[in-house]
């Protein structure tokens, strides 16, 4: 008994920093922002209770809120599949016993590390300018370029391309997953004369499903959180014509440019619910398409 | 390749088939390399272009896909370094302070928490572990406003405390998770033997677990170093005085103030800001790759 108590104490001692952080920097703020979301708060006076006012304004009158949702959802819907397909494709090429794998792996992963930096965001702005490199390359193929970023119809795609450029980290996870698939399965399929396509859908996909699931959840959350690159490329405002008004950029401006802290808190809570919703959906549906090898029914 | 005992085909046909297959494989391997090399060029080209542009005279930067400057303008680096009201020396010093302290904080607090979760028994462990995993999903934007109000009331705005203190409180659950994964792989017999010898859990942590976990610590240190170095949102909110700007904030200021007139210099400073990341990546590639494969993140 005494020993049990002593062990218990050690656990709590080691967890003390985390406890402080969890209550002061995570749980506390989440609850505080729930409260603030029902108030008007400009940081000068005290928060004034406003009931559901913020939410009502958000859903019924704030056009920019809906615009931000549209932009963010379009981005998630385009960038996540694009990045994952790219990552899986390259991972499958690398998996088949190439000797120079570590060379390619390093090159493909580097952009994932650099992608979030301001330097790359600055570079991206210039690449897609009217007189930028992308148009110069297109001109080589006789394609007339455009001002990709200042045109609201195309600006979002420049960020999708940036997301694709950073396919390295899901690729590494796919590679680790592919390593786990027994090679004799493919050999057996080969002997049976199964086509490559069928091998992919009947062996690779099912056995890789847990990894795909994992990558899907993580990359979706990551995509919802996109901030720095959108902020820099859109001059901090979501320009042009709000076509780059990512939800996070919108929230940031409401809070720290216009000091509508109550409203921004409501936005934060809606974001939390959206991410929670998507994660829950993925988890709930996962049992229909993800099968773990050592699963017992 | 093993042949089945049941159908022993003619030896010659078997050999011919094998040779044909080898040839086919060799050819597909070449195609694969060509394709992968092409992808590599596309992946690296933007970085190469950025570096080249940082050395070009202003009028050569745009409308040219070529990488070789007609003359090397190293001035872009020296002039860019001093183009803002304060020199980049200040910003690099600031970034270094914030990064080093943050990395230390991350390593200490997260390894404490991970040790508790991976090795110790205490009431409520599963609940807390679940809560910790949930914080992985919470976007920083959700806690941003109350945190800001808190730090403002504490008088911490325009200091580095809001950037550093959270890292001493294990606020980045990713690193806890990474270390838990690693600690769990260490043989339990070690702790048990030490426990029987009368070692306290504290001593076991410092003397057995930490020294055996240097690879995991290294991975965590590198990731945390790179992410803190590139961090933009928190400094953007908490640092208003240019004296205290970190490198990403300085780059953004450059973009706003000088960007339209001095592209070469801005690119030069952008390149410099990436150099530490690239060096660390090159030096510790193995640790980074292994870290992602085991934890499966980012």
């Amino acid at each position: 008994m005494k020993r049990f108590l002593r062990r218990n104490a050690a656990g709590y001692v080691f967890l003390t920093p985390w406890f402080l952080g969890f209550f002061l920097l995570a749980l506390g703020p989440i609850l505080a922002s729930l409260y603030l979301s029902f108030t008007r708060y400009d940081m000068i006076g005290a928060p004034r209770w406003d009931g559901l006012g913020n939410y009502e304004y958000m859903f019924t009158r704030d056009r920019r809120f809906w615009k931000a949702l549209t932009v963010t959802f379009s981005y998630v819907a385009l960038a996540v599949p694009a990045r994952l397909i790219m990552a899986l494709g390259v991972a499958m090429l690398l998996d088949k016993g190439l000797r120079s794998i570590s060379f390619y792996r390093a090159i493909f992963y580097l952009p994932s590390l650099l992608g979030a930096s301001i330097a790359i965001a600055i570079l991206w702005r210039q690449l897609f300018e009217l007189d930028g490199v992308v148009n110069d390359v297109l001109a080589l193929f006789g394609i007339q370029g455009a001002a990709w970023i200042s045109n609201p119809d195309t600006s979002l795609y420049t960020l999708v391309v940036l997301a694709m450029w950073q396919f390295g980290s899901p690729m590494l996870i796919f590679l680790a997953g592919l390593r786990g698939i027994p090679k004799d399965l493919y050999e057996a399929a080969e002997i049976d004369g199964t086509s490559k396509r069928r091998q992919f859908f009947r062996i690779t996909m099912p056995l890789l499903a847990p990894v795909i699931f994992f990558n899907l959840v993580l990359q979706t959350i990551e995509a919802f959180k996109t901030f720095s690159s959108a902020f820099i490329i859109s001059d901090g405002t979501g320009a042009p014509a709000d076509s780059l008004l990512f939800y996070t950029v919108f929230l940031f401006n409401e809070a720290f440019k216009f000091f509508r802290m109550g409203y921004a808190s409501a936005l934060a809570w809606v974001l939390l619910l959206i991410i929670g919703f998507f994660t829950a959906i993925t988890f709930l549906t996962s049992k229909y398409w993800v099968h773990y090898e050592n699963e017992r029914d | 390749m093993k042949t089945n005992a049941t159908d022993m085909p003619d030896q010659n046909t078997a050999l011919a088939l094998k040779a044909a297959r080898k040839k086919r494989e060799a050819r597909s391997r070449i195609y694969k390399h060509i394709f992968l090399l092409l992808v590599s060029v596309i992946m690296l080209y933007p970085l190469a272009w950025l570096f080249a542009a940082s050395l070009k005279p202003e009028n050569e930067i745009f409308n040219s896909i070529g990488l070789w400057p007609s003359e090397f303008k190293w001035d872009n680096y020296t002039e860019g370094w001093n183009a803002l009201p304060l020199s980049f020396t200040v910003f690099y010093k600031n970034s270094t302070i914030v990064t080093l302290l943050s990395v230390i904080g991350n390593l200490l607090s997260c390894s404490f928490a991970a040790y508790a979760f991976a090795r110790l028994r205490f009431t409520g462990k599963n609940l807390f572990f679940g809560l910790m995993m949930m914080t992985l999903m919470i976007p920083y934007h959700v806690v941003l406003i109350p945190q800001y109000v808190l730090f403002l009331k504490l008088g911490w705005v325009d200091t580095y405390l809001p950037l550093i203190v959270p890292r001493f409180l294990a606020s980045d659950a990713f690193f806890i998770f990474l270390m838990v994964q690693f600690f769990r792989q260490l043989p339990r017999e070690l702790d048990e033997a030490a426990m029987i010898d009368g070692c306290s859990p504290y001593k076991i942590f410092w003397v057995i677990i930490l020294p055996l976990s240097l690879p995991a610590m290294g991975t965590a240190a590198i990731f945390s170093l790179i992410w803190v170095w590139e961090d933009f949102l928190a400094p953007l909110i908490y640092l208003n005085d240019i004296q205290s700007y970190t490198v990403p904030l300085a780059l953004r200021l450059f973009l706003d103030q000088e960007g339209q007139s001095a592209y070469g210099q801005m690119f030069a400073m952008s390149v410099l800001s990436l150099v530490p990341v690239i060096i660390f990546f090159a030096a510790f590639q193995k640790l980074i790759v292994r870290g992602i494969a085991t934890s499966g993140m980012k």
Side-chain angles (χ1 to χ4, degrees), chain A residues 3-4 6-15 17-26 29-30 32-33 36 41 43 86 90 93-94 96-100 102-111 113-120 122-127 129 131-133 136-137 140 165-167 169-170 172-173 176 187 190-191 214 218-219 221-222 225 227-228 231-232 235-236 248-249 251-252 255-256 259 261 264-265 268-269 271-272 275 279, chain B residues 1 21 24 29 32-37 39-40 42-47 49-50 62-65 109 111-117 120-124 128-129 131-132 135-153 165-166 168-171 176-177 195 201-202 205-206 223 226-227 230 232-233 236-237 248-249 251-252 255-256 260 263 266-267 270-271 273-274 277-278 281 285 288-289 292-293 295-298:
Chain A
R3 202 168 130 194
F4 170 80
R6 209 172 59 207
R7 265 199 204 159
N8 235 357
Y12 291 134
V13 168
F14 275 104
L15 268 192
W18 180 79
F19 276 133
L20 284 173
F22 178 71
F23 288 110
L24 291 177
L25 302 175
I30 288 174
S33 69
L36 286 177
Y41 184 35
M43 309 241 3
M86 186 93 180
V90 174
L93 277 182
L94 286 182
K96 298 274 163 63
L98 287 177
R99 233 170 293 146
S100 35
S102 57
F103 166 75
Y104 292 122
R105 204 174 49 188
I107 289 177
F108 296 158
Y109 182 65
L110 185 62
L113 275 184
L114 303 179
S117 64
I118 299 306
I120 295 299
I122 288 176
L123 165 68
W124 226 252
R125 273 173 70 114
Q126 313 310 330
L127 288 183
E129 290 275 359
D131 53 1
V133 183
D136 296 334
V137 174
L140 289 181
W165 189 59
Q166 302 168 54
F167 70 87
S169 51
L172 288 182
I173 299 169
E187 279 168 19
E190 199 79 32
I191 290 167
F214 187 81
L218 273 181
Q219 295 301 326
I221 296 176
E222 279 299 300
K225 288 200 233 173
F227 177 75
S228 308
F231 186 85
I232 291 294
D235 283 326
T248 51
V249 174
L251 194 158
F252 174 87
F256 295 99
F259 291 99
M261 293 291 182
S265 298
W269 254 83
L271 177 65
L272 185 66
I275 290 187
T279 316
Chain B
M1 274 237 74
R21 190 171 154 189
R24 210 169 53 226
R29 189 162 297 177
K32 234 177 250 171
H33 273 294
I34 292 174
F35 179 76
L36 287 170
L37 277 174
V39 178
S40 306
I42 296 172
M43 295 293 286
L44 289 182
Y45 182 75
L47 295 175
W49 186 85
L50 176 67
F62 290 103
N63 283 321
S64 82
I65 44 177
S109 63
S111 64
F112 287 172
Y115 175 61
F117 283 131
L120 300 175
R121 248 176 283 165
F122 54 92
T123 332
F128 295 133
F129 189 74
L131 289 172
M132 187 274 290
T135 60
L136 273 176
M137 281 179 321
I138 297 171
Y140 185 48
H141 280 85
V142 175
V143 293
L144 195 59
I145 292 160
Q147 275 191 17
Y148 182 78
V149 175
L150 173 72
F151 292 139
L152 187 73
K153 296 236 156 99
V165 170
F168 276 88
L169 300 180
S171 64
I176 306 181
F177 181 63
M195 195 86 81
Y202 311 99
F205 175 72
W206 289 110
F223 271 115
I226 291 174
W227 290 341
E230 290 180 347
F232 177 63
L233 178 55
L236 179 66
I237 288 165
L249 287 186
L251 281 180
R252 192 231 169 176
L255 180 70
D256 286 351
Q260 311 308 318
Y263 280 108
M266 181 170 67
F267 289 146
S270 302
V271 168
S273 80
L274 297 177
V277 180
I278 294 177
F281 175 65
Q285 209 215 105
I288 291 178
V289 168
I292 296 164
S295 74
M297 298 256 179
K298 300 272 166 174

Side-chain angles (χ1 to χ4, degrees), chain B residues 92-278:
Chain B
Y92 273 85
K93 203 185 84 209
N94 294 340
S95 266
T96 309
I97 294 172
V98 171
T99 308
L100 285 183
L101 288 173
S102 299
V103 171
I104 294 171
N106 264 335
L107 287 186
L108 282 178
S109 63
C110 293
S111 64
F112 287 172
Y115 175 61
F117 283 131
R119 294 303 239 217
L120 300 175
R121 248 176 283 165
F122 54 92
T123 332
K125 181 161 124 174
N126 288 338
L127 171 72
F128 295 133
F129 189 74
L131 289 172
M132 187 274 290
M133 292 303 288
M134 273 172 74
T135 60
L136 273 176
M137 281 179 321
I138 297 171
Y140 185 48
H141 280 85
V142 175
V143 293
L144 195 59
I145 292 160
Q147 275 191 17
Y148 182 78
V149 175
L150 173 72
F151 292 139
L152 187 73
K153 296 236 156 99
L154 289 172
W156 286 6
V157 169
D158 260 319
T159 72
Y160 295 134
L161 292 172
L163 309 181
I164 294 167
V165 170
R167 267 114 187 188
F168 276 88
L169 300 180
S171 64
D172 200 338
F174 166 75
F175 296 111
I176 306 181
F177 181 63
L178 184 100
M179 292 178 196
V180 165
Q181 298 286 82
F182 191 87
F183 290 171
R184 277 186 180 154
Q185 292 167 10
L186 300 175
R188 279 218 167 254
E189 292 78 26
L190 288 174
D191 313 29
E192 279 156 15
M195 195 86 81
I196 290 165
D197 287 349
C199 260
S200 71
Y202 311 99
K203 201 166 173 199
I204 293 174
F205 175 72
W206 289 110
V207 178
I208 298 175
I209 302 289
L210 267 196
L212 286 176
S213 307
L214 289 182
M217 293 293 144
T219 311
I222 292 157
F223 271 115
S224 122
L225 198 142
I226 291 174
W227 290 341
V228 178
W229 183 263
E230 290 180 347
D231 190 14
F232 177 63
L233 178 55
L236 179 66
I237 288 165
Y238 290 112
L239 306 177
N240 302 312
D241 182 2
I242 185 172
Q243 277 285 346
S244 59
Y245 270 20
T246 56
V247 173
L249 287 186
L251 281 180
R252 192 231 169 176
L253 186 66
F254 212 121
L255 180 70
D256 286 351
Q257 289 195 346
E258 311 281 333
Q260 311 308 318
S261 57
Y263 280 108
Q265 295 175 22
M266 181 170 67
F267 289 146
M269 291 305 105
S270 302
V271 168
L272 286 187
S273 80
L274 297 177
V275 165
V277 180
I278 294 177

Side-chain angles (χ1 to χ4, degrees), chain B residues 66-86:
Chain B
L67 294 178
W68 203 258
S70 67
E71 52 160 331
F72 285 86
K73 249 194 124 227
W74 294 102
D75 294 358
N76 282 342
Y77 281 82
T78 47
E79 280 164 21
W81 191 266
N82 295 308
L84 293 180
L86 290 174

Side-chain angles (χ1 to χ4, degrees), chain A:
Chain A
M1 189 62 199
K2 205 173 161 192
R3 202 168 130 194
F4 170 80
L5 274 179
R6 209 172 59 207
R7 265 199 204 159
N8 235 357
Y12 291 134
V13 168
F14 275 104
L15 268 192
T16 304
W18 180 79
F19 276 133
L20 284 173
F22 178 71
F23 288 110
L24 291 177
L25 302 175
L27 186 65
I30 288 174
L31 295 177
S33 69
L34 180 62
Y35 165 72
L36 286 177
S37 77
F38 296 118
T39 67
R40 282 163 177 261
Y41 184 35
D42 58 4
M43 309 241 3
I44 297 167
R48 278 184 297 122
W49 186 260
D50 191 28
L52 290 172
N54 285 326
Y55 292 97
E56 196 206 324
Y57 175 72
M58 187 191 306
F59 286 110
T60 58
R61 273 175 292 158
D62 192 355
R63 287 229 182 116
R64 290 194 94 205
F65 165 73
W66 291 106
K67 181 69 187 173
L69 273 188
T70 316
V71 169
T72 310
F73 275 96
S74 317
Y75 174 77
V76 171
L78 291 169
V80 174
R83 185 191 272 188
L84 288 185
I85 290 170
M86 186 93 180
L88 181 58
V90 174
M92 284 176 56
L93 277 182
L94 286 182
D95 182 49
K96 298 274 163 63
L98 287 177
R99 233 170 293 146
S100 35
I101 174 169
S102 57
F103 166 75
Y104 292 122
R105 204 174 49 188
I107 289 177
F108 296 158
Y109 182 65
L110 185 62
S112 289
L113 275 184
L114 303 179
S117 64
I118 299 306
I120 295 299
I122 288 176
L123 165 68
W124 226 252
R125 273 173 70 114
Q126 313 310 330
L127 288 183
F128 288 91
E129 290 275 359
L130 187 59
D131 53 1
V133 183
V134 170
N135 285 338
D136 296 334
V137 174
L138 288 178
L140 289 181
F141 299 97
I143 301 168
Q144 177 72 45
W148 304 101
I149 287 182
S150 42
N151 179 351
D153 293 330
T154 53
S155 53
L156 191 61
Y157 296 105
T158 62
L159 275 146
V160 173
V161 175
L162 178 58
M164 283 175 75
W165 189 59
Q166 302 168 54
F167 70 87
S169 51
M171 176 202 72
L172 288 182
I173 299 169
F174 278 135
L175 262 178
L178 288 169
R179 289 273 158 80
I181 300 179
K183 290 285 168 276
D184 42 350
L185 286 180
Y186 293 104
E187 279 168 19
E190 199 79 32
I191 290 167
D192 288 347
T194 317
S195 72
K196 288 268 184 238
R197 225 190 91 177
R198 228 175 128 79
Q199 285 179 30
F200 175 74
F201 285 109
R202 289 299 163 88
I203 302 175
T204 314
M205 283 294 266
L207 286 177
L208 211 57
V211 183
I212 296 175
F213 168 70
F214 187 81
N215 267 335
L216 185 65
V217 174
L218 273 181
Q219 295 301 326
T220 307
I221 296 176
E222 279 299 300
F224 272 114
K225 288 200 233 173
T226 305
F227 177 75
S228 308
S229 41
F231 186 85
I232 291 294
I233 292 173
S234 72
D235 283 326
T237 60
D242 283 349
S243 63
L244 291 179
L245 189 65
F246 278 62
Y247 198 94
T248 51
V249 174
F250 179 49
L251 194 158
F252 174 87
N253 280 324
E254 288 296 317
F256 295 99
K257 204 163 152 197
F258 307 123
F259 291 99
R260 292 195 276 257
M261 293 291 182
Y263 189 55
S265 298
L267 288 173
W269 254 83
V270 170
L271 177 65
L272 185 66
L273 292 179
I274 291 173
I275 290 187
F277 175 77
F278 273 94
T279 316
I281 289 275
T282 336
F283 270 97
L284 288 176
T285 59
S286 70
K287 69 172 175 207
Y288 297 109
W289 54 280
V290 180
H291 298 279
Y292 293 94
E293 238 178 301
N294 50 0
E295 197 173 44
R296 271 170 292 170
D297 287 305

